[in-house]
Amino acid sequence: MPVTEINSLEEFKTFTNKENFVIVNFYSPNSDESREINPKFEQLSERCDGVEFYKVNVDERLEIFEAEGLPSVPIFIKFLNGRKFDAAMGTHLEALE
């Protein structure tokens, strides 16, 4: 399944309040770690059936990053039934599998 870019706080709320398993990648194109991990996140999305993958460019959508109270990028947040239940920071994508 392709990774979908989230373009507003309203979209973020809609996509993460589903009953499905959702993973959101909060990234910055200016972050070396984000540039390193983003292709791996895309590859993971192609391997995982039944999971919806989204990404938020925090440089363009800072309001979402701040609303979630996140410490840094890259960070990957897992949602299930509209609730956060896990996170992985930095380039530790294996924690998502």
Side-chain angles (χ1 to χ4, degrees):
M1 174 175 245
V3 178
T4 302
E5 185 82 36
I6 295 176
N7 295 305
S8 70
L9 185 56
E10 294 75 27
E11 279 186 5
F12 176 77
K13 290 176 181 179
T14 298
F15 293 146
T16 58
N17 281 316
K18 296 181 175 184
E19 292 182 9
N20 302 20
F21 184 59
V22 173
I23 302 175
V24 181
N25 172 11
F26 290 85
Y27 74 98
S28 169
N30 298 318
S31 160
D32 289 338
E33 285 185 327
S34 289
R35 286 193 302 271
E36 175 186 339
I37 200 68
N38 283 349
K40 295 175 185 174
F41 186 71
E42 296 278 343
Q43 291 169 357
L44 179 63
S45 76
E46 294 169 6
R47 293 193 318 262
C48 295
D49 293 329
V51 179
E52 294 184 30
F53 289 81
Y54 298 95
K55 59 185 176 180
V56 175
N57 178 338
V58 301
D59 294 345
E60 295 178 358
R61 305 290 172 226
L62 187 58
E63 71 278 8
I64 301 171
F65 184 73
E66 290 176 341
E68 290 300 299
L70 302 174
S72 64
V73 294
I75 187 167
F76 306 89
I77 307 293
K78 294 180 186 179
F79 294 86
L80 183 60
N81 297 321
R83 297 184 153 192
K84 277 190 247 186
F85 73 92
D86 199 8
M89 293 181 64
T91 58
H92 303 289
L93 195 59
E94 64 275 357
L96 299 176
E97 296 187 60

Coordinates of all heavy atoms in Angstrom, one line a residue:
M1 N 0.9 -1.2 0.0 CA 0.0 0.0 0.0 C 0.9 1.2 0.0 O 1.9 1.3 0.8 CB -0.9 0.0 1.2 CG -1.7 1.2 1.4 SD -2.9 1.0 2.8 CE -4.4 1.1 2.0
P2 N 0.6 2.2 -0.8 CA 1.5 3.4 -0.9 C 1.3 4.3 0.4 O 0.3 4.2 1.1 CB 0.9 4.2 -2.1 CG -0.5 3.7 -2.3 CD -0.5 2.3 -1.8
V3 N 2.3 5.1 0.6 CA 2.3 6.0 1.7 C 1.6 7.3 1.3 O 1.9 7.9 0.3 CB 3.7 6.3 2.2 CG1 3.7 7.3 3.4 CG2 4.4 5.1 2.6
T4 N 0.6 7.7 2.1 CA -0.2 8.9 1.7 C 0.3 10.1 2.6 O 0.4 10.0 3.8 CB -1.7 8.7 2.0 OG1 -2.1 7.5 1.3 CG2 -2.5 9.9 1.7
E5 N 0.5 11.2 1.9 CA 0.9 12.5 2.6 C -0.3 13.1 3.3 O -1.4 13.2 2.7 CB 1.5 13.5 1.6 CG 2.1 14.7 2.2 CD 3.5 14.6 2.8 OE1 4.3 13.8 2.2 OE2 3.8 15.2 3.8
I6 N -0.2 13.5 4.5 CA -1.2 14.2 5.3 C -1.0 15.6 5.1 O 0.1 16.1 5.4 CB -1.3 13.7 6.7 CG1 -1.6 12.2 6.8 CG2 -2.2 14.6 7.5 CD1 -1.6 11.7 8.3
N7 N -2.0 16.4 4.7 CA -1.9 17.8 4.4 C -2.6 18.7 5.3 O -2.6 20.0 5.1 CB -2.4 18.0 2.9 CG -1.5 17.3 1.9 OD1 -0.3 17.5 1.9 ND2 -2.0 16.5 1.1
S8 N -3.2 18.2 6.3 CA -3.9 19.1 7.3 C -4.2 18.4 8.6 O -4.2 17.2 8.6 CB -5.3 19.6 6.7 OG -6.2 18.6 6.6
L9 N -4.5 19.2 9.6 CA -4.8 18.6 10.9 C -6.1 17.8 10.8 O -6.2 16.7 11.4 CB -4.9 19.7 12.0 CG -5.1 19.2 13.4 CD1 -4.1 18.3 13.9 CD2 -5.2 20.4 14.3
E10 N -7.0 18.3 10.0 CA -8.3 17.6 9.8 C -8.1 16.2 9.2 O -8.7 15.2 9.6 CB -9.3 18.4 9.0 CG -9.7 19.7 9.6 CD -8.7 20.8 9.7 OE1 -7.8 20.8 8.8 OE2 -8.7 21.6 10.6
E11 N -7.2 16.2 8.1 CA -6.9 14.9 7.5 C -6.2 13.9 8.5 O -6.5 12.8 8.6 CB -5.9 15.1 6.3 CG -6.5 15.5 5.1 CD -5.6 15.5 3.9 OE1 -4.4 15.1 4.1 OE2 -6.0 15.9 2.8
F12 N -5.3 14.5 9.3 CA -4.6 13.7 10.3 C -5.6 13.0 11.2 O -5.6 11.8 11.5 CB -3.6 14.5 11.1 CG -2.9 13.8 12.2 CD1 -1.9 12.9 12.0 CD2 -3.4 14.0 13.5 CE1 -1.3 12.2 13.0 CE2 -2.7 13.3 14.6 CZ -1.7 12.4 14.3
K13 N -6.6 13.8 11.7 CA -7.6 13.3 12.6 C -8.4 12.2 12.0 O -8.8 11.2 12.6 CB -8.5 14.4 13.2 CG -7.7 15.3 14.1 CD -8.6 16.5 14.6 CE -7.8 17.4 15.5 NZ -8.7 18.6 15.9
T14 N -8.8 12.5 10.7 CA -9.6 11.5 10.0 C -8.9 10.2 9.8 O -9.4 9.1 10.0 CB -10.0 12.1 8.6 OG1 -10.8 13.2 8.8 CG2 -10.8 11.1 7.8
F15 N -7.6 10.3 9.3 CA -6.9 9.1 9.0 C -6.5 8.3 10.2 O -6.4 7.0 10.2 CB -5.6 9.4 8.2 CG -5.9 9.9 6.8 CD1 -5.1 10.9 6.3 CD2 -6.9 9.5 6.0 CE1 -5.3 11.4 5.0 CE2 -7.2 10.0 4.8 CZ -6.4 10.9 4.2
T16 N -6.2 8.9 11.3 CA -5.8 8.2 12.5 C -6.9 7.8 13.4 O -6.7 7.0 14.4 CB -4.8 9.0 13.4 OG1 -5.4 10.3 13.7 CG2 -3.5 9.3 12.6
N17 N -8.1 8.2 13.1 CA -9.3 7.7 13.9 C -10.1 6.6 13.2 O -11.3 6.5 13.4 CB -10.2 8.9 14.2 CG -9.7 9.8 15.3 OD1 -9.3 9.3 16.3 ND2 -9.7 11.1 15.1
K18 N -9.4 5.8 12.5 CA -10.0 4.6 11.9 C -9.8 3.4 12.8 O -9.0 3.4 13.7 CB -9.3 4.4 10.5 CG -9.4 5.5 9.5 CD -8.7 5.1 8.2 CE -9.0 6.2 7.2 NZ -8.4 5.8 5.9
E19 N -10.6 2.4 12.4 CA -10.5 1.1 13.1 C -9.3 0.3 12.7 O -8.9 -0.6 13.3 CB -11.7 0.3 13.0 CG -12.9 1.0 13.7 CD -14.2 0.2 13.7 OE1 -14.1 -1.0 13.2 OE2 -15.2 0.7 14.1
N20 N -8.7 0.7 11.5 CA -7.6 0.0 10.9 C -6.3 0.3 11.7 O -6.2 1.3 12.5 CB -7.4 0.5 9.5 CG -8.6 0.3 8.6 OD1 -9.7 0.2 9.1 ND2 -8.4 0.3 7.4
F21 N -5.3 -0.5 11.5 CA -4.0 -0.3 12.0 C -3.3 0.7 11.1 O -3.2 0.6 9.9 CB -3.2 -1.7 11.9 CG -1.8 -1.6 12.5 CD1 -1.6 -1.3 13.8 CD2 -0.7 -2.0 11.7 CE1 -0.4 -1.2 14.4 CE2 0.5 -2.0 12.3 CZ 0.7 -1.6 13.6
V22 N -2.8 1.8 11.7 CA -2.2 3.0 11.0 C -0.9 3.3 11.5 O -0.7 3.3 12.7 CB -3.2 4.2 11.1 CG1 -2.5 5.4 10.5 CG2 -4.5 3.9 10.5
I23 N 0.1 3.6 10.6 CA 1.4 4.1 11.0 C 1.6 5.4 10.4 O 1.5 5.5 9.2 CB 2.5 3.1 10.7 CG1 2.3 1.7 11.3 CG2 3.9 3.7 11.1 CD1 3.3 0.7 10.9
V24 N 2.1 6.4 11.2 CA 2.3 7.7 10.6 C 3.8 8.1 10.8 O 4.3 8.0 12.0 CB 1.4 8.8 11.3 CG1 1.7 10.2 10.7 CG2 0.0 8.5 11.2
N25 N 4.4 8.5 9.8 CA 5.8 8.9 9.8 C 5.9 10.4 9.8 O 5.5 11.1 8.9 CB 6.5 8.4 8.5 CG 7.9 8.9 8.3 OD1 8.5 9.5 9.2 ND2 8.4 8.7 7.1
F26 N 6.4 10.9 10.9 CA 6.6 12.4 11.1 C 8.0 12.6 10.7 O 9.0 12.1 11.3 CB 6.4 12.8 12.5 CG 4.9 12.8 12.9 CD1 4.4 11.6 13.4 CD2 4.1 13.9 12.8 CE1 3.0 11.6 13.8 CE2 2.8 13.9 13.2 CZ 2.2 12.7 13.6
Y27 N 8.3 13.4 9.6 CA 9.6 13.6 9.1 C 9.9 15.0 8.7 O 8.9 15.8 8.6 CB 9.8 12.7 7.9 CG 9.1 13.2 6.6 CD1 9.7 13.9 5.7 CD2 7.7 13.0 6.5 CE1 9.1 14.4 4.5 CE2 7.0 13.5 5.3 CZ 7.7 14.2 4.4 OH 7.1 14.7 3.3
S28 N 11.1 15.3 8.5 CA 11.5 16.6 7.9 C 12.5 16.4 6.8 O 13.5 15.6 6.9 CB 12.3 17.5 9.0 OG 12.9 18.6 8.4
P29 N 12.2 17.0 5.6 CA 13.2 16.8 4.5 C 14.5 17.3 4.8 O 15.5 17.0 4.1 CB 12.5 17.5 3.3 CG 11.3 18.2 3.9 CD 11.1 17.8 5.3
N30 N 14.7 18.2 5.8 CA 16.0 18.7 6.2 C 16.7 17.9 7.2 O 17.9 18.2 7.6 CB 15.8 20.1 6.8 CG 15.1 21.1 5.8 OD1 15.5 21.1 4.6 ND2 14.2 21.8 6.2
S31 N 16.1 16.8 7.6 CA 16.8 15.9 8.6 C 17.5 14.7 7.9 O 16.9 14.0 7.1 CB 15.7 15.3 9.5 OG 16.1 14.1 10.2
D32 N 18.8 14.5 8.2 CA 19.5 13.4 7.6 C 18.9 12.1 8.0 O 18.8 11.2 7.1 CB 21.0 13.5 8.1 CG 21.8 14.6 7.5 OD1 21.4 15.1 6.4 OD2 22.8 15.0 8.1
E33 N 18.5 11.9 9.2 CA 17.8 10.7 9.6 C 16.5 10.4 8.9 O 16.3 9.3 8.5 CB 17.5 10.7 11.1 CG 18.8 10.5 12.0 CD 18.4 10.4 13.5 OE1 17.4 11.0 13.9 OE2 19.1 9.6 14.2
S34 N 15.7 11.5 8.7 CA 14.5 11.3 7.9 C 14.8 10.9 6.4 O 14.2 10.0 5.9 CB 13.7 12.6 7.9 OG 13.1 12.9 9.1
R35 N 15.8 11.5 5.8 CA 16.2 11.2 4.5 C 16.7 9.7 4.4 O 16.4 9.0 3.4 CB 17.2 12.1 3.9 CG 16.6 13.5 3.5 CD 17.5 14.3 2.7 NE 18.8 14.6 3.3 CZ 19.1 15.6 4.2 NH1 18.1 16.5 4.4 NH2 20.3 15.8 4.7
E36 N 17.3 9.3 5.4 CA 17.8 7.9 5.5 C 16.7 6.9 5.6 O 16.7 5.8 5.0 CB 18.8 7.7 6.6 CG 19.3 6.3 6.8 CD 20.2 6.2 8.1 OE1 20.7 7.2 8.6 OE2 20.3 5.0 8.5
I37 N 15.7 7.2 6.5 CA 14.7 6.2 6.8 C 13.5 6.2 5.9 O 12.8 5.2 5.8 CB 14.3 6.3 8.3 CG1 13.6 5.1 8.8 CG2 13.4 7.5 8.5 CD1 14.5 3.9 9.0
N38 N 13.2 7.3 5.2 CA 12.0 7.4 4.4 C 11.9 6.3 3.4 O 10.8 5.8 3.2 CB 11.8 8.8 3.8 CG 11.4 9.8 4.8 OD1 10.9 9.5 5.9 ND2 11.4 11.1 4.5
P39 N 13.0 6.0 2.6 CA 12.8 4.9 1.6 C 12.5 3.6 2.3 O 11.8 2.8 1.7 CB 14.2 4.9 0.9 CG 14.8 6.3 1.2 CD 14.2 6.7 2.5
K40 N 13.0 3.3 3.4 CA 12.7 2.1 4.2 C 11.3 2.0 4.6 O 10.7 1.0 4.6 CB 13.7 1.9 5.3 CG 15.1 1.8 4.9 CD 16.1 1.7 6.1 CE 17.5 1.7 5.6 NZ 18.5 1.8 6.7
F41 N 10.7 3.2 5.0 CA 9.3 3.3 5.4 C 8.5 3.0 4.2 O 7.5 2.2 4.3 CB 9.0 4.7 5.9 CG 7.7 4.8 6.5 CD1 7.3 4.2 7.7 CD2 6.7 5.6 5.9 CE1 6.0 4.4 8.2 CE2 5.4 5.8 6.4 CZ 5.1 5.2 7.5
E42 N 8.8 3.5 3.0 CA 8.1 3.2 1.8 C 8.1 1.7 1.5 O 7.1 1.1 1.1 CB 8.7 4.0 0.6 CG 8.6 5.5 0.7 CD 7.2 6.1 0.3 OE1 6.5 5.4 -0.4 OE2 7.0 7.2 0.7
Q43 N 9.3 1.1 1.6 CA 9.4 -0.3 1.4 C 8.6 -1.1 2.4 O 7.9 -2.1 2.0 CB 10.9 -0.8 1.5 CG 11.7 -0.2 0.4 CD 13.2 -0.5 0.6 OE1 13.6 -1.0 1.7 NE2 14.1 -0.1 -0.3
L44 N 8.5 -0.7 3.6 CA 7.7 -1.4 4.6 C 6.3 -1.4 4.2 O 5.5 -2.3 4.4 CB 8.0 -0.8 6.0 CG 7.2 -1.4 7.1 CD1 7.6 -2.9 7.4 CD2 7.4 -0.6 8.4
S45 N 5.8 -0.2 3.7 CA 4.4 -0.1 3.3 C 4.0 -1.0 2.2 O 2.9 -1.4 2.1 CB 4.1 1.4 2.9 OG 4.7 1.7 1.6
E46 N 5.0 -1.4 1.4 CA 4.7 -2.3 0.3 C 4.6 -3.7 0.7 O 4.0 -4.6 0.1 CB 5.8 -2.2 -0.8 CG 5.8 -0.8 -1.5 CD 7.0 -0.5 -2.4 OE1 7.8 -1.5 -2.5 OE2 7.1 0.6 -2.8
R47 N 5.2 -4.1 1.9 CA 5.2 -5.4 2.4 C 4.1 -5.7 3.4 O 3.8 -6.9 3.6 CB 6.6 -5.7 3.1 CG 7.8 -5.7 2.3 CD 9.0 -6.3 3.0 NE 9.2 -5.9 4.4 CZ 10.0 -4.9 4.8 NH1 10.7 -4.2 3.9 NH2 10.1 -4.6 6.1
C48 N 3.5 -4.7 3.9 CA 2.5 -5.0 5.0 C 1.1 -4.8 4.5 O 0.6 -3.7 4.3 CB 2.8 -4.0 6.1 SG 4.3 -4.3 7.0
D49 N 0.4 -5.9 4.4 CA -1.0 -5.8 4.1 C -1.9 -5.5 5.3 O -1.5 -5.9 6.4 CB -1.5 -7.2 3.5 CG -0.9 -7.5 2.2 OD1 -0.6 -6.6 1.4 OD2 -0.6 -8.7 1.9
G50 N -3.0 -4.8 5.1 CA -3.9 -4.5 6.2 C -3.4 -3.4 7.1 O -4.0 -3.1 8.1
V51 N -2.3 -2.7 6.7 CA -1.8 -1.5 7.5 C -1.9 -0.3 6.5 O -1.5 -0.4 5.4 CB -0.4 -1.8 7.9 CG1 0.1 -0.6 8.7 CG2 -0.3 -3.0 8.8
E52 N -2.3 0.8 7.1 CA -2.4 2.1 6.3 C -1.2 2.9 6.7 O -0.9 3.1 7.9 CB -3.7 2.8 6.6 CG -4.9 2.1 6.0 CD -6.1 2.8 6.2 OE1 -6.1 4.1 6.1 OE2 -7.2 2.2 6.3
F53 N -0.4 3.4 5.8 CA 0.8 4.2 6.0 C 0.6 5.6 5.6 O 0.1 5.9 4.5 CB 2.0 3.6 5.2 CG 2.4 2.3 5.8 CD1 1.8 1.1 5.5 CD2 3.5 2.2 6.6 CE1 2.2 -0.1 6.0 CE2 4.0 1.0 7.1 CZ 3.3 -0.1 6.8
Y54 N 1.0 6.6 6.5 CA 0.8 8.0 6.2 C 2.1 8.7 6.6 O 2.9 8.1 7.4 CB -0.3 8.6 7.0 CG -1.7 8.0 6.6 CD1 -2.2 6.9 7.3 CD2 -2.4 8.5 5.5 CE1 -3.4 6.4 7.0 CE2 -3.6 7.9 5.2 CZ -4.1 6.9 5.9 OH -5.3 6.3 5.5
K55 N 2.3 9.9 6.1 CA 3.5 10.7 6.5 C 3.1 12.1 6.6 O 2.2 12.6 6.0 CB 4.6 10.5 5.5 CG 4.3 10.9 4.0 CD 5.4 10.6 3.1 CE 5.1 11.0 1.7 NZ 6.2 10.7 0.7
V56 N 3.8 12.8 7.5 CA 3.6 14.2 7.8 C 4.9 14.9 7.7 O 5.8 14.6 8.5 CB 3.0 14.4 9.2 CG1 2.9 15.9 9.5 CG2 1.6 13.7 9.4
N57 N 5.0 15.9 6.8 CA 6.2 16.7 6.7 C 6.0 17.8 7.7 O 5.2 18.7 7.6 CB 6.2 17.4 5.3 CG 7.4 18.3 5.1 OD1 8.0 18.8 6.0 ND2 7.8 18.5 3.8
V58 N 6.8 17.7 8.8 CA 6.6 18.7 9.9 C 7.1 20.1 9.6 O 6.6 21.0 10.3 CB 7.3 18.1 11.2 CG1 6.8 16.8 11.6 CG2 8.8 18.1 11.1
D59 N 7.9 20.2 8.6 CA 8.3 21.6 8.2 C 7.1 22.3 7.6 O 6.9 23.5 7.7 CB 9.4 21.6 7.2 CG 10.7 21.0 7.8 OD1 10.8 21.0 9.0 OD2 11.6 20.7 7.0
E60 N 6.2 21.6 6.9 CA 5.0 22.2 6.3 C 3.8 22.1 7.2 O 2.8 22.8 7.0 CB 4.7 21.5 5.0 CG 5.8 21.7 3.9 CD 5.5 21.0 2.6 OE1 4.5 20.3 2.5 OE2 6.4 21.2 1.7
R61 N 3.7 21.1 8.1 CA 2.5 20.8 8.9 C 2.9 20.8 10.4 O 2.6 19.9 11.1 CB 1.9 19.5 8.5 CG 1.5 19.4 7.1 CD 0.4 20.3 6.8 NE 0.2 20.3 5.3 CZ 0.0 21.4 4.6 NH1 0.0 22.6 5.2 NH2 -0.1 21.3 3.3
L62 N 3.6 21.9 10.8 CA 4.1 22.0 12.2 C 2.9 21.9 13.2 O 3.1 21.3 14.3 CB 4.9 23.3 12.4 CG 5.6 23.4 13.7 CD1 6.6 22.3 14.0 CD2 6.3 24.8 13.8
E63 N 1.8 22.3 12.8 CA 0.6 22.3 13.7 C 0.3 20.9 14.1 O -0.2 20.7 15.3 CB -0.6 23.0 13.1 CG -1.3 22.3 12.0 CD -0.7 22.5 10.6 OE1 0.4 23.1 10.5 OE2 -1.3 22.1 9.6
I64 N 0.4 19.9 13.3 CA 0.1 18.5 13.6 C 1.2 18.0 14.6 O 0.9 17.4 15.6 CB 0.1 17.6 12.3 CG1 -1.0 18.2 11.4 CG2 -0.2 16.2 12.7 CD1 -1.0 17.5 10.0
F65 N 2.5 18.3 14.3 CA 3.6 17.8 15.1 C 3.4 18.4 16.5 O 3.5 17.7 17.5 CB 4.9 18.3 14.5 CG 6.1 17.9 15.2 CD1 6.6 16.6 15.1 CD2 6.9 18.8 15.9 CE1 7.7 16.2 15.7 CE2 8.0 18.4 16.5 CZ 8.5 17.1 16.5
E66 N 3.1 19.7 16.6 CA 2.9 20.3 17.9 C 1.7 19.8 18.6 O 1.7 19.6 19.9 CB 2.8 21.8 17.8 CG 4.2 22.4 17.4 CD 4.1 23.9 17.1 OE1 3.0 24.5 16.9 OE2 5.2 24.6 17.1
A67 N 0.6 19.6 17.9 CA -0.7 19.0 18.5 C -0.4 17.7 19.1 O -1.0 17.3 20.2 CB -1.8 19.0 17.5
E68 N 0.5 16.9 18.5 CA 0.8 15.6 19.1 C 1.8 15.6 20.2 O 2.1 14.6 20.8 CB 1.2 14.6 17.9 CG 0.1 14.3 17.0 CD -1.0 13.5 17.7 OE1 -0.8 12.4 18.3 OE2 -2.2 14.1 17.7
G69 N 2.5 16.7 20.4 CA 3.5 16.8 21.4 C 4.7 15.9 21.2 O 5.2 15.4 22.2
L70 N 5.1 15.8 20.0 CA 6.2 14.9 19.7 C 7.6 15.5 19.9 O 7.7 16.8 19.7 CB 6.1 14.4 18.2 CG 4.8 13.7 17.9 CD1 4.7 13.4 16.4 CD2 4.6 12.5 18.7
P71 N 8.6 14.7 20.3 CA 9.9 15.3 20.7 C 10.8 15.7 19.6 O 11.6 16.6 19.7 CB 10.5 14.2 21.6 CG 9.8 13.0 21.1 CD 8.5 13.3 20.6
S72 N 10.8 14.9 18.5 CA 11.8 15.1 17.4 C 11.3 14.2 16.2 O 10.4 13.5 16.3 CB 13.2 14.7 17.9 OG 13.2 13.3 18.2
V73 N 12.1 14.4 15.1 CA 11.9 13.6 13.9 C 13.2 12.9 13.6 O 14.2 13.4 13.9 CB 11.4 14.5 12.7 CG1 10.0 15.1 13.0 CG2 12.4 15.6 12.4
P74 N 13.1 11.8 12.9 CA 11.8 11.1 12.5 C 11.3 10.4 13.7 O 12.0 9.9 14.6 CB 12.3 10.2 11.4 CG 13.7 9.9 11.7 CD 14.2 11.2 12.3
I75 N 10.0 10.3 13.7 CA 9.3 9.5 14.7 C 8.1 8.8 14.0 O 7.4 9.4 13.1 CB 8.8 10.3 15.9 CG1 8.3 9.4 17.0 CG2 7.9 11.4 15.5 CD1 8.1 10.1 18.4
F76 N 7.8 7.6 14.3 CA 6.8 6.8 13.7 C 5.8 6.4 14.8 O 6.2 5.9 15.8 CB 7.3 5.5 13.1 CG 8.4 5.8 12.1 CD1 9.8 5.9 12.6 CD2 8.1 6.0 10.8 CE1 10.8 6.2 11.7 CE2 9.2 6.3 9.9 CZ 10.5 6.4 10.3
I77 N 4.5 6.8 14.6 CA 3.5 6.6 15.6 C 2.5 5.5 15.1 O 2.0 5.7 14.0 CB 2.7 7.9 16.0 CG1 3.7 9.0 16.4 CG2 1.7 7.6 17.1 CD1 4.4 8.8 17.7
K78 N 2.2 4.5 15.9 CA 1.2 3.5 15.5 C -0.1 3.9 16.2 O -0.2 4.3 17.3 CB 1.6 2.1 16.0 CG 2.9 1.6 15.4 CD 3.2 0.2 16.1 CE 4.4 -0.4 15.6 NZ 4.7 -1.7 16.3
F79 N -1.2 3.7 15.4 CA -2.5 3.9 15.9 C -3.4 2.7 15.6 O -3.2 2.0 14.5 CB -3.2 5.1 15.1 CG -2.6 6.4 15.4 CD1 -1.5 6.9 14.7 CD2 -3.1 7.3 16.4 CE1 -0.9 8.1 14.9 CE2 -2.5 8.5 16.6 CZ -1.4 8.9 15.9
L80 N -4.3 2.4 16.5 CA -5.2 1.3 16.3 C -6.5 1.7 16.9 O -6.5 2.2 18.1 CB -4.7 0.0 16.9 CG -5.6 -1.2 16.6 CD1 -5.8 -1.5 15.2 CD2 -5.1 -2.4 17.4
N81 N -7.6 1.6 16.2 CA -8.9 2.1 16.6 C -8.9 3.5 17.1 O -9.5 3.9 18.1 CB -9.4 1.1 17.7 CG -9.6 -0.3 17.2 OD1 -10.1 -0.5 16.1 ND2 -9.3 -1.2 18.0
G82 N -8.1 4.4 16.5 CA -8.1 5.8 16.8 C -7.2 6.1 18.0 O -7.2 7.3 18.4
R83 N -6.5 5.2 18.5 CA -5.6 5.4 19.7 C -4.2 5.2 19.4 O -3.8 4.2 18.8 CB -6.1 4.6 20.9 CG -7.4 4.9 21.3 CD -7.8 4.1 22.5 NE -8.8 4.8 23.2 CZ -9.1 4.5 24.4 NH1 -8.6 3.5 25.1 NH2 -10.1 5.2 25.0
K84 N -3.3 6.1 19.9 CA -1.8 5.8 19.8 C -1.5 4.6 20.7 O -2.0 4.6 21.9 CB -1.1 7.0 20.4 CG -0.9 8.1 19.4 CD 0.1 9.1 20.0 CE -0.6 10.4 20.3 NZ 0.3 11.4 20.7
F85 N -0.7 3.7 20.2 CA -0.3 2.6 21.1 C 1.2 2.3 21.1 O 1.6 1.5 21.9 CB -1.2 1.4 20.9 CG -0.9 0.6 19.6 CD1 0.1 -0.4 19.7 CD2 -1.5 1.0 18.5 CE1 0.3 -1.1 18.5 CE2 -1.2 0.3 17.3 CZ -0.3 -0.8 17.3
D86 N 1.9 2.9 20.2 CA 3.3 2.6 20.2 C 4.0 3.7 19.3 O 3.4 4.4 18.5 CB 3.6 1.2 19.6 CG 5.0 0.7 19.9 OD1 5.7 1.3 20.7 OD2 5.3 -0.4 19.3
A87 N 5.3 3.8 19.5 CA 6.1 4.7 18.7 C 7.6 4.2 18.6 O 8.0 3.4 19.4 CB 6.2 6.1 19.4
A88 N 8.2 4.6 17.5 CA 9.6 4.3 17.2 C 10.2 5.6 16.8 O 9.7 6.3 16.0 CB 9.7 3.2 16.2
M89 N 11.4 5.9 17.3 CA 12.1 7.1 17.0 C 13.4 6.9 16.2 O 13.9 5.8 16.3 CB 12.5 7.9 18.3 CG 11.3 8.4 19.0 SD 11.7 9.3 20.5 CE 12.5 10.7 19.8
G90 N 13.8 7.9 15.5 CA 15.0 7.8 14.7 C 15.0 6.8 13.6 O 14.0 6.7 12.9
T91 N 16.1 6.1 13.4 CA 16.1 5.2 12.3 C 15.8 3.7 12.7 O 16.2 2.8 12.0 CB 17.5 5.3 11.6 OG1 18.5 5.0 12.6 CG2 17.8 6.6 11.0
H92 N 15.1 3.6 13.8 CA 14.8 2.2 14.3 C 13.5 1.7 13.8 O 12.6 1.4 14.5 CB 14.8 2.2 15.8 CG 16.1 2.7 16.4 ND1 17.3 2.0 16.4 CD2 16.4 3.9 17.0 CE1 18.3 2.7 16.9 NE2 17.8 3.9 17.3
L93 N 13.4 1.6 12.5 CA 12.2 1.2 11.8 C 11.9 -0.3 12.1 O 10.7 -0.7 12.1 CB 12.4 1.4 10.3 CG 11.1 1.3 9.4 CD1 10.1 2.4 9.9 CD2 11.5 1.5 8.0
E94 N 12.8 -1.1 12.5 CA 12.5 -2.5 12.8 C 11.6 -2.6 13.9 O 10.9 -3.6 14.1 CB 13.8 -3.3 13.1 CG 14.6 -2.8 14.3 CD 15.6 -1.7 14.0 OE1 15.7 -1.2 12.9 OE2 16.1 -1.2 15.0
A95 N 11.5 -1.6 14.8 CA 10.5 -1.6 15.9 C 9.1 -1.6 15.4 O 8.2 -1.9 16.2 CB 10.8 -0.4 16.8
L96 N 8.9 -1.2 14.2 CA 7.5 -1.1 13.6 C 7.0 -2.5 13.1 O 5.9 -2.7 12.9 CB 7.4 -0.1 12.5 CG 7.8 1.3 12.9 CD1 7.7 2.2 11.7 CD2 6.8 1.8 13.9
E97 N 8.0 -3.4 12.8 CA 7.6 -4.6 12.1 C 7.0 -5.6 13.1 O 7.2 -5.6 14.3 CB 8.8 -5.2 11.4 CG 9.2 -4.3 10.3 CD 10.2 -4.8 9.4 OE1 10.0 -5.9 8.8 OE2 11.3 -4.2 9.3

